[in-house]
Amino acid sequence: MSRVSITKQVMVTGGAGFLGSHLCDRLIGDGYEVICVDNFFSTSKDNIIHLMNNPRFELYRHDITFPLYMEVDEIFNLACPASPVHYQFDPVQTVKVNVHGAINMLGLAKRTKAKILQASTSEVYGDPAHHPQTEDYWGNVNPNGPRACYDEGKRCAETLFYDYHRQHGVNIRVARLFNTYGPRMAMNDGRVVSNFVVQALRNEPLSVYGSGDQTRSFCYVEDMIDGLVRLMRAPDDLSGPVNLGNPTEITIRNLAEAIIELTGSRSTVEEHPLPQDDPVRRCPDITRATDLLDWKPTATLERGLKPTIAYFDKLLKAG
Ligand code: UDP
């Protein structure tokens, strides 16, 4: 059935999450009609409450492991708990949301001829033997460890995206998102930035896992959202996944020190056991994103941490 409306209908699965809610904000700001689909497993209505009265915003409580029938022009498939604490809570459901969820959303895209973007992850590279990670690196993933439900789930989702493209001509895009931070990260999701900021604001010791020599590269949320939107708008002949992330690598210990300094905290650093299969180094090569999308992150760690710290400070003061 065709629609009368000429405004594009964009679906965001996981739309009430940290990234999803920022993406909904951006798309509403750009003039689209947004259908936010979320089952609120690891997300919060607080992230989207400000959009609820907007006539171009619609919230649909739904678990994408079950089929969904509606008319859409574009789908951003972000649904999946992304922090180890949340995705390891119910690992079978994590696999289902990545595999059954991808099949359902790809089926929807196939029927409606919608463009569909998959939020894949740097975790497809596992504990990488190749540094920095380029898109043609196939990864080093433990297929049965505690992170496998997420890593292998996301890898299988990529497989499904490329097979639906080759077999059914679905118009796909695959972004591999590296660590991202900013306001609306969940306070209790165990991610390093949220943990450290909250600990620093409470003047508690910062929990560095292992020696803190492992590295990550942290992208501010605004930059990431801009990358996702550019990828969706990119020409249809784009082939292969695209890394999105900030290529500035930092050790976890240095991140702890930067957060202590920026919060003016009296906190110290305390070493804790390193979780199993924790990747040693992670840093994106973003040449492809820069060439194809004319995209690169602009926010420095300091520029991104300031609003993040202000966000958590407000939450803590509100009790
Ligand atoms: N990490 C840490 N302290 C914490 C939380 C995490 O030292 O309180 C470490 C963790 O072991 C990993 C890095 O910080 O090496 C990033 O962890 P996060 O869970 O944020 O992201 P991911 O491991 O998925 O990249």
Side-chain angles (χ1 to χ4, degrees):
M1 192 176 62
S2 60
R3 276 176 293 111
V4 177
S5 165
I6 50 162
T7 310
K8 263 199 187 147
Q9 306 252 30
V10 184
M11 177 185 283
V12 181
T13 75
F18 159 51
L19 287 180
S21 63
H22 284 281
L23 181 58
C24 289
D25 283 344
R26 165 73 188 262
L27 295 168
I28 289 285
D30 287 352
Y32 295 103
E33 288 192 13
V34 174
I35 304 166
C36 166
V37 175
D38 210 298
N39 70 349
F40 296 106
F41 168 72
S42 59
T43 53
S44 166
K45 274 193 193 145
D46 292 344
N47 290 340
I48 45 157
I49 195 96
H50 58 287
L51 293 172
M52 296 295 261
N53 288 329
N54 190 308
R56 283 187 288 105
F57 180 81
E58 208 178 322
L59 173 63
Y60 198 82
R61 182 189 276 262
H62 177 78
D63 176 345
I64 65 158
T65 60
F66 298 97
L68 182 58
Y69 294 92
M70 52 176 69
E71 301 310 307
V72 288
D73 300 297
E74 291 179 358
I75 304 166
F76 286 87
N77 190 35
L78 271 55
C80 182
S83 83
V85 172
H86 287 151
Y87 71 65
Q88 290 170 10
F89 177 78
D90 186 349
V92 173
Q93 181 64 17
T94 301
V95 175
K96 281 188 187 171
V97 76
N98 281 305
V99 178
H100 297 191
I103 291 171
N104 289 329
M105 292 306 105
L106 284 160
L108 177 64
K110 181 181 158 205
R111 183 178 62 77
T112 57
K113 298 192 170 39
K115 261 197 268 187
I116 181 165
L117 180 149
Q118 168 67 357
S120 188
T121 168
S122 55
E123 290 283 330
V124 300
Y125 301 122
D127 190 4
H130 179 99
H131 195 83
Q133 290 81 58
T134 47
E135 290 86 348
D136 56 5
Y137 174 55
W138 290 351
N140 177 31
V141 174
N142 176 353
N144 50 38
R147 294 175 89 105
C149 57
Y150 186 75
D151 301 6
E152 297 289 15
K154 288 281 186 183
R155 285 168 69 94
C156 186
E158 285 201 15
T159 308
L160 285 162
F161 267 68
Y162 286 96
D163 283 338
Y164 267 76
H165 173 64
R166 286 186 287 255
Q167 196 175 333
H168 298 299
V170 173
N171 188 347
I172 62 155
R173 285 105 218 286
V174 174
R176 289 184 178 154
L177 281 62
F178 283 64
N179 297 63
T180 306
Y181 70 100
R184 298 190 201 151
M185 292 183 89
M187 176 118 72
N188 62 348
D189 75 358
R191 307 311 291 263
V192 68
V193 173
S194 44
N195 274 6
F196 284 1
V197 169
V198 169
Q199 289 161 345
L201 288 169
R202 288 178 169 152
N203 291 306
E204 291 169 358
L206 269 58
S207 54
V208 168
Y209 299 162
S211 63
D213 291 333
Q214 71 271 35
T215 70
R216 293 293 186 273
S217 310
F218 295 97
C219 185
Y220 187 53
V221 62
E222 261 173 35
D223 285 325
M224 179 57 72
I225 298 302
D226 188 50
L228 290 171
V229 170
R230 280 175 192 247
L231 183 56
M232 186 62 107
R233 308 273 164 268
D236 289 345
D237 55 5
L238 184 99
S239 69
V242 179
N243 285 341
L244 294 178
N246 192 314
T248 311
E249 194 180 353
I250 182 172
T251 66
I252 295 304
R253 184 170 287 274
N254 285 347
L255 175 73
E257 285 158 3
I259 289 175
I260 289 174
E261 193 180 322
L262 282 171
T263 47
S265 173
R266 296 189 304 278
S267 295
T268 53
V269 163
E270 194 174 82
E271 287 188 17
H272 290 249
L274 189 68
Q276 188 188 333
D277 293 342
D278 199 272
V280 176
R281 289 188 83 181
R282 187 185 290 148
C283 178
D285 182 318
I286 59 163
T287 310
R288 215 170 128 69
T290 306
D291 289 351
L292 296 174
L293 313 177
D294 190 23
W295 176 86
K296 63 171 179 244
T298 57
T300 59
L301 195 59
E302 186 176 343
R303 145 86 181 86
L305 280 176
K306 282 185 177 164
T308 311
I309 291 167
Y311 171 78
F312 282 112
D313 194 37
K314 200 169 154 199
L315 278 191
L316 289 174
K317 284 186 176 136

